[in-house]
Amino acid sequence: MVFTAVMLTANAIAYLGKAIDNGNSHFSLLILASVFIYGILAYIFKSRLIWAFVLISLGAWFGTETGYLSRWNWYFVGMNYPLRFVLFGLCLTAFSFIIKDNKKMGMFFQVNYVCGMVYLFVSLWLLSVFGNFGSLEEWYSVRQISLFYWALLSAAFCLVSIYIGLKYRDDIAREFGITFLFINLYTRYFEYFWDSWHKALFFCVLAASFWFIGRRAEKIWNLEFLKK
């Protein structure tokens, strides 16, 4: 019932925008209004589901507002959409720890944290594939190996997330790091080695790399356990 009410609220805001539209195409203001409406409702009813829609609406507003400010150019302050949302995800994740110990907002910590990590890691993965290019035509004109540094950045975030997750017993950080490290490695394989590497060789290298990561993770976990 709450989900249905959220959808109907979004529908009402959309029709309000249609009724007062003056032709300037600044519809991101309506999305921003939905952020505040959902935020008030989430706070009043202590609803984590509604708070998730606050964050979804906030992401939609960020994307459309930066698009509007750049006159729907692919770049905003020199950043394409994936790079912008990497920064957005970082800010949202950091905000999670600001509200973690707050008596009134602490209940939204986990939802906020997970949503922030989704924005961050999905954007990093897209950035590792497309780089900071503004159009598919530009992307097609370069070799994929030239974007390798973006892939390294994405992998570095995954490794840091795994380390933090193991060191501080943060299941969310650990699982996001491991999942997207797998996705990153598989993506790189299909980009660089699908036609040149023997398939069995690749999976042997993949298995060895995760054995090494697992051994290191186990060592860190045991050291932290002994300290406590």
Side-chain angles (χ1 to χ4, degrees), residues 117-151:
M117 294 288 270
V118 169
Y119 277 119
L120 175 60
F121 279 95
V122 171
S123 300
L124 281 167
W125 175 71
L126 290 173
L127 192 63
S128 75
V129 174
F130 297 105
N132 192 27
F133 289 104
S135 67
L136 288 176
E137 289 74 18
E138 290 181 283
W139 180 62
Y140 283 136
S141 66
V142 299
R143 295 182 62 190
Q144 199 65 26
I145 193 68
S146 66
L147 304 177
F148 191 65
Y149 54 92
W150 292 115

Side-chain angles (χ1 to χ4, degrees), residues 25-40:
S25 300
H26 199 182
F27 57 88
S28 59
L29 293 177
L30 286 174
I31 302 175
L32 182 61
S34 70
V35 172
F36 287 106
I37 292 170
Y38 287 147
I40 293 168

Side-chain angles (χ1 to χ4, degrees), residues 201-213:
L201 177 61
F202 169 77
F203 286 106
C204 285
V205 173
L206 187 68
S209 65
F210 276 97
W211 174 83
F212 177 75
I213 292 170

Side-chain angles (χ1 to χ4, degrees), residues 6-22 27 30-31 33-34 37-38:
V6 168
M7 292 292 99
L8 290 173
T9 301
N11 187 64
I13 294 169
Y15 273 97
L16 174 64
K18 187 175 181 180
I20 63 175
D21 181 32
N22 59 5
F27 57 88
L30 286 174
I31 302 175
S34 70
I37 292 170
Y38 287 147

Side-chain angles (χ1 to χ4, degrees), residues 21-219:
D21 181 32
N22 59 5
N24 67 358
S25 300
H26 199 182
F27 57 88
S28 59
L29 293 177
L30 286 174
I31 302 175
L32 182 61
S34 70
V35 172
F36 287 106
I37 292 170
Y38 287 147
I40 293 168
L41 292 173
Y43 182 78
I44 292 173
F45 295 110
K46 314 298 183 195
S47 171
R48 294 178 178 86
L49 174 62
I50 301 177
W51 188 256
F53 279 92
V54 171
L55 303 177
I56 293 169
S57 301
L58 188 63
W61 169 80
F62 177 76
T64 53
E65 183 65 18
T66 54
Y68 176 80
L69 292 174
S70 62
R71 298 183 179 180
W72 304 111
N73 194 309
W74 286 107
Y75 290 104
F76 176 75
V77 197
M79 298 181 290
N80 67 358
Y81 278 99
L83 185 53
R84 282 179 241 174
F85 273 93
V86 168
L87 299 179
F88 179 80
L90 280 171
C91 292
L92 201 59
T93 303
F95 180 70
S96 303
F97 291 93
I98 294 174
I99 66 172
K100 183 177 182 179
D101 297 321
N102 186 286
K103 292 181 180 179
K104 296 181 179 179
M105 299 290 291
M107 71 179 70
F108 302 128
F109 163 72
Q110 190 170 31
V111 174
N112 206 97
Y113 189 20
V114 170
C115 285
M117 294 288 270
V118 169
Y119 277 119
L120 175 60
F121 279 95
V122 171
S123 300
L124 281 167
W125 175 71
L126 290 173
L127 192 63
S128 75
V129 174
F130 297 105
N132 192 27
F133 289 104
S135 67
L136 288 176
E137 289 74 18
E138 290 181 283
W139 180 62
Y140 283 136
S141 66
V142 299
R143 295 182 62 190
Q144 199 65 26
I145 193 68
S146 66
L147 304 177
F148 191 65
Y149 54 92
W150 292 115
L152 289 176
L153 177 66
S154 179
F157 268 87
C158 292
L159 293 173
V160 169
S161 185
I162 292 170
Y163 176 78
I164 291 172
L166 291 170
K167 184 174 178 63
Y168 297 102
R169 298 177 181 268
D170 186 335
D171 294 339
I172 294 173
R174 186 185 70 239
E175 296 303 324
F176 268 94
I178 292 172
T179 300
F180 278 90
L181 186 59
F182 267 111
I183 292 172
N184 203 317
L185 289 172
Y186 275 105
T187 303
R188 301 294 79 77
Y189 170 62
F190 285 110
E191 284 179 340
Y192 307 138
F193 307 120
W194 180 253
D195 296 324
S196 57
W197 271 32
H198 192 282
K199 308 303 181 284
L201 177 61
F202 169 77
F203 286 106
C204 285
V205 173
L206 187 68
S209 65
F210 276 97
W211 174 83
F212 177 75
I213 292 170
R215 291 284 294 176
R216 293 293 297 172
E218 183 182 12
K219 185 177 179 181

